Amino acid sequence: MIKNILYLAIPLLLISTAAFAQSHHGAYLKVDYISVDKQDHENFRAFVENELHPFKENRISNTDVMGWQVYQVVYPGSHNTSYNYVSITSSSSLESFDFDNDGDESDFL
């Protein structure tokens, strides 16, 4: 009886494992936690909109990275949170987060 159960259980286990295996590669995420003083919020937003956004959009159109977002942390998880903005960059390779050939940082924020 136990042999019959094992003969049935082992193939079912192998089939279920194969069915749930990943069929594609995921993305790497680079998360930056940013602390901006209250008096500098407007300057930071202007920097993001005027300088950082065009830079990141260029990297996305060149397929260097897959996506990029900046979020303001309105409701922090605790009173001891030391950041109020989060920047998330996604890429299909870790090399996108390294320095480029000119020595300039290829992905900041």
Side-chain angles (χ1 to χ4, degrees), residues 43-55 68:
N43 291 337
F44 179 74
R45 289 180 185 163
F47 167 74
V48 168
E49 185 65 32
N50 298 326
E51 296 183 37
L52 203 53
H53 187 261
F55 173 78
W68 169 74

Side-chain angles (χ1 to χ4, degrees), residues 10-12 15-16 18-19 28 31 35 37 45 49 51 53 60-61 63 65 69 76 81-84 102:
I10 291 174
L12 285 175
I15 289 171
S16 65
Y28 295 98
V31 181
S35 178
D37 291 332
R45 289 180 185 163
E49 185 65 32
E51 296 183 37
H53 187 261
I60 291 169
S61 66
T63 66
V65 296
Q69 294 291 323
T81 302
S82 62
Y83 58 90
N84 47 11
D102 298 331

Side-chain angles (χ1 to χ4, degrees), residues 28-36 44-45 47-49 51-53 55-57 59-60 65-74 81-91 96-97 105-109:
Y28 295 98
L29 298 176
K30 178 178 181 270
V31 181
D32 293 301
Y33 299 94
I34 307 159
S35 178
V36 178
F44 179 74
R45 289 180 185 163
F47 167 74
V48 168
E49 185 65 32
E51 296 183 37
L52 203 53
H53 187 261
F55 173 78
K56 292 291 189 167
E57 287 299 318
R59 295 207 65 215
I60 291 169
V65 296
M66 296 166 32
W68 169 74
Q69 294 291 323
V70 173
Y71 299 98
Q72 182 177 6
V73 179
V74 179
T81 302
S82 62
Y83 58 90
N84 47 11
Y85 286 90
V86 177
S87 169
I88 302 173
T89 304
S90 61
S91 177
S96 295
F97 304 128
E105 192 172 352
S106 60
D107 190 72
F108 61 97
L109 293 183

Side-chain angles (χ1 to χ4, degrees), residues 2 5 7 12 20-23 35 45-46 60 68 78 91-92 98 104:
I2 293 179
I5 292 174
Y7 286 131
L12 285 175
F20 292 109
Q22 289 182 340
S23 60
S35 178
R45 289 180 185 163
I60 291 169
W68 169 74
S78 74
S91 177
S92 60
D98 289 339
D104 296 330

